[in-house]
Amino acid sequence: MTCSNKNLNKYIDGDLEPAAEKKLLSHLKVCPTCANTLKSMEKMIGVLRNIPDYDRSPPQSLRRRVLGETAKTRDGAALLKLGLTLATFMIIVGFFFLFTGDKKASEILEYSAAKLQDIYGETEEISSYYEDELFTAIVMMIDY
Amino acid sequence: MSESAPETFSSPRGSKRIELKFSENQIIERAIDRDEEAMGYIYEEYSPLVWSLALRYTGNQSLAEDASAAVFIRLFKNLHKFRGESAFKTWLYRLSINTIINYGRREKKFRAGELFENHLGEGDKTEEIEARDLVQRLLKKLPRRDEKLIIMREMEGMTYQEIANISNLKLSTVKTRIFRARLKLRKLYEEEV
């Protein structure tokens, strides 16, 4: 029998026909190269196959981390929508103030700007693009 | 996503969650819309699978937690990409093994950790741990594709057909690649010892 790595592979998987297995085992007795190849392959595969199944449930900290992280992203998106709505509202009130000079409109603008800053402070997930947009809106409103 | 008849999914391992009377596809669609309950269901259902893979691959509780968290964060971000061409579990497993291997390769101090040591008897600790560390190091020297195949076959004990399904490869291709990967691993071993 000649050396065949394919047969060694099948032997490791237990897929070798009985007659072929018998031949291989005889060959291994007289071929140190194949015997060594099989020995080192079985050793490595044995290590991997014998890694214990730890049978442990995932820790609660993982759950908090995963679902907390995704909730933060969701809350960030909701805050972003709220911030943009508020900024739009401020632009409308800003124009109203510009044309009428109404004092009440000025107070509303100041209050809205403060709330917008709170929203910005609470969210870490808003992208830098939207951060810039929001800040530009705030600065414009305060300048008015 | 393929349509399937709705079936009842009972709460796995527990009682805390509300029982959801939706098909898995419906749960996935809700999770894409960031429905908290649906995301919780997916986490409860599949976290043992992800955790087990991460824990056996890293042998370290802290690293396994980081790797598992990376899997789920990536999963929820990419859920809309699931097209139902394979079972959800298969798709998730593919994403998990890719993420965990990438995580393991980035982690510089990666080695067989305390969990593995705790599972061994006093006498065989040193030899077993050294062997585990060696194989773990050698695995990382393989191309990613080969490492993934060896993990699925040897560490996870999957059949060639299961690996073919997860990898989107023909059965004969999987057999050939695993055969070659084993030879490469053996060559690396010979060079090291």
Side-chain angles (χ1 to χ4, degrees), chain A residues 3-144:
Chain A
C3 300
S4 163
N5 283 330
K6 268 197 173 170
N7 278 346
L8 287 181
N9 203 47
K10 282 186 179 175
Y11 177 73
I12 289 169
D13 285 331
D15 287 344
L16 214 52
E17 296 293 325
E21 184 175 324
K22 202 174 168 186
K23 269 188 185 176
L24 176 69
L25 292 175
S26 303
H27 174 71
L28 289 172
K29 283 180 189 165
V30 294
C31 178
T33 309
C34 285
N36 283 334
T37 302
L38 179 65
K39 195 179 163 190
S40 50
M41 277 174 110
E42 281 189 325
K43 182 162 185 180
M44 282 181 301
I45 290 168
V47 168
L48 288 168
R49 286 182 181 173
N50 289 322
I51 290 174
D53 195 354
Y54 297 108
D55 191 26
R56 291 186 177 206
S57 300
Q60 275 302 309
S61 53
L62 176 63
R63 190 181 204 285
R64 281 196 298 273
R65 195 167 155 186
V66 167
L67 297 177
E69 183 71 28
T70 47
K72 205 163 82 177
T73 308
R74 189 179 56 244
D75 293 347
L79 282 171
L80 175 63
K81 277 185 190 168
L82 186 64
L84 289 174
T85 308
L86 193 54
T88 310
F89 170 72
M90 286 169 71
I91 290 168
I92 295 165
V93 176
F95 275 112
F96 180 72
F97 174 66
L98 193 65
F99 290 115
T100 63
D102 186 88
K103 200 182 167 193
K104 190 74 181 166
S106 165
E107 284 170 13
I108 291 171
L109 273 179
E110 272 180 36
Y111 180 78
S112 302
K115 287 293 156 198
L116 203 53
Q117 277 176 318
D118 287 347
I119 289 170
Y120 170 74
E122 279 180 29
T123 178
E124 294 170 2
E125 299 292 334
I126 295 174
S127 70
S128 57
Y129 170 78
Y130 286 113
E131 281 175 18
D132 291 342
E133 291 295 300
L134 280 176
F135 264 120
T136 307
I138 291 168
V139 169
M140 279 171 68
M141 289 298 108
I142 290 170
D143 282 349
Y144 263 115

Side-chain angles (χ1 to χ4, degrees), chain A residues 40 44, chain B residues 105 134-143 146 180-193:
Chain A
S40 50
M44 282 181 301
Chain B
R105 289 198 174 214
L134 174 63
V135 174
Q136 198 83 51
R137 267 192 296 116
L138 297 181
L139 269 179
K140 288 188 190 345
K141 289 184 180 177
L142 289 176
D146 292 344
R180 286 182 188 153
R182 280 174 175 169
L183 287 179
K184 283 183 202 167
L185 195 59
R186 181 234 152 207
K187 193 173 172 232
L188 289 168
Y189 178 80
E190 294 295 330
E191 286 167 4
E192 189 85 18
V193 176

Side-chain angles (χ1 to χ4, degrees), chain B residues 46-65:
Chain B
Y46 295 106
S47 59
L49 182 148
V50 173
W51 176 249
S52 161
L53 176 63
L55 199 55
R56 266 179 298 132
Y57 182 64
T58 63
N60 178 299
Q61 185 113 12
S62 167
L63 290 178
E65 186 171 329

Side-chain angles (χ1 to χ4, degrees), chain B residues 52-53 56 93 97 150-158:
Chain B
S52 161
L53 176 63
R56 266 179 298 132
Y93 191 89
I97 197 163
I150 292 284
I151 286 171
M152 286 192 276
R153 176 67 189 170
E154 316 301 0
M155 203 186 271
E156 296 291 294
M158 289 183 176

